[in-house]
Amino acid sequence: MYGFEAMNFNIHGGYLEAIVRGHRAGLLTTADYNNLCQCESLDDIKMHLSATDYGSYLQNEPSPLHTTTIVEKCTLKLVDDYKHMLCQATEPLSTFLEYITYGHMIDNVVLIVTGTLHERDVQELLEKCHPLGMFDSIATLAVAQNMRELYRLVLVDTPLAPYFSECITTEDLDDMNIEIMRNTLYKAYLEDFNRFCQKLGGATAEIMSDLLAFEADRRAVNITINSIGTELTRDDRRKLYSNFGLLYPYGHEELAVCEDIDQVRAAMEKYPPYQSIFAKLSYGESQMLDKAFYEEEVKRLCLVFEQQFHYAVFFAYMRLREQEIRNLMWISECVAQNQKSRVHDSVVLIF
């Protein structure tokens, strides 16, 4: 039984919950995806999207279109929705909305640092950064030579600063250290976000703990699979797993010692919610694992809208819109490269 959310939630959150549910109604349906998959060119895709929420963002784009243009404009719609909601939000919803963007900040930091390591142009890297994860001093990340400098020069003034305590070392940045940094930051971020949601209590705490636990478990599986055959030790691998989730702690002990994908599968099939995900894969196969996880995530996100008077709808909407943009990018790439036979391979239907 929850508290008294229904009595006072609408004082501060009612307007924004109505807004986000309206946005959710604008997500593409299965019929839209079927039509998009029939398109012969990117201009056909633009024409179909003109009748959706993306219409006003694409209407002034000249031909020939590029996939990057479609993705940029669709992302702009997501950013505009987010900024509108953030402007209208009061505490604690405004802090909750800010937490949603921290994952993009971590990805942007890693993108800039990795690109600089490989001597890529900083301006070119900034264009590839996700707009929701931008912060004022992001361009100066390029000057850092190790984690300590990265923190002292740039990140100390960003919301990511508390998450850096576990990964400040004097080691020079290389591909391996950067990937460890990404996963350490994500671990700290997910644990912090989970603690914040628990403090909020009620339906928000219950629903978000389930969604964040799923995210933590998915990251644990991906870390395990990506670290098989690398120099990462079992103890190092275990340190990258989040300290909550369905797999914590016994599943983490099993994943830490896995040597191949079939051992990962055996460990995961002991947990009923994940049995259905691995049942879709044949033995020894990991290529379709991402899609299977995305499909399960979309199911859970859609269920979030079945309840009222909680903040998880904002998280769910942002994630569903991001999945929609991934779908549009895949369809656009398949059409542009004349690979229409593969168009259904990575599309995750939402409704």
Side-chain angles (χ1 to χ4, degrees), residues 88-255:
Q88 302 289 335
T90 57
E91 284 293 344
L93 177 55
S94 56
T95 302
F96 182 89
L97 288 173
E98 284 168 2
Y99 265 105
I100 294 173
T101 64
Y102 293 173
H104 294 301
M105 278 190 194
I106 293 169
D107 289 339
N108 285 355
V109 168
V110 171
L111 177 67
I112 297 282
V113 174
T114 308
T116 307
L117 186 68
H118 294 134
E119 299 179 355
R120 302 281 292 279
D121 179 51
V122 178
Q123 198 55 44
E124 180 190 329
L125 293 169
L126 286 173
E127 287 171 9
K128 291 185 177 177
C129 285
H130 197 288
L132 283 179
M134 299 301 274
F135 50 88
D136 293 341
S137 53
I138 192 167
T140 53
L141 286 170
V143 302
Q145 297 298 315
N146 58 44
M147 307 283 188
R148 198 176 293 279
E149 283 186 19
L150 197 66
Y151 176 78
R152 186 172 58 81
L153 295 174
V154 185
L155 297 169
V156 70
D157 294 324
T158 71
L160 301 182
Y163 308 150
F164 253 83
S165 57
E166 286 186 44
C167 58
I168 295 179
T169 63
T170 51
E171 292 178 33
D172 286 347
L173 293 167
D174 58 30
D175 285 339
M176 184 72 151
N177 285 335
I178 291 169
E179 205 51 43
I180 290 172
M181 178 183 78
R182 181 210 296 269
N183 287 305
T184 308
L185 288 174
Y186 250 105
K187 172 190 172 181
Y189 157 60
L190 287 174
E191 289 174 1
D192 188 32
F193 196 4
N194 189 50
R195 278 192 297 272
F196 176 75
C197 291
Q198 295 310 311
K199 279 184 199 166
L200 293 177
T204 301
E206 184 188 351
I207 297 168
M208 283 305 298
S209 67
D210 178 57
L211 295 176
L212 292 174
F214 178 77
E215 179 68 20
D217 291 344
R218 174 169 62 179
R219 293 196 71 80
V221 172
N222 286 337
I223 288 166
T224 305
I225 292 171
N226 292 336
S227 62
I228 291 171
T230 67
E231 59 199 51
L232 201 68
T233 65
R234 291 174 179 181
D235 287 337
D236 288 340
R237 191 191 286 181
R238 196 180 287 114
K239 283 177 192 168
L240 298 176
Y241 300 152
S242 299
N243 294 327
F244 70 101
L246 190 61
L247 300 178
Y248 175 76
Y250 303 111
H252 290 171
E253 296 296 326
E254 291 193 51
L255 286 177

Side-chain angles (χ1 to χ4, degrees), residues 36-49:
L36 286 167
C37 290
Q38 303 300 319
C39 291
E40 296 293 333
S41 68
L42 294 183
D43 285 319
D44 290 349
I45 290 177
K46 174 187 167 184
M47 185 176 71
H48 182 77
L49 290 177

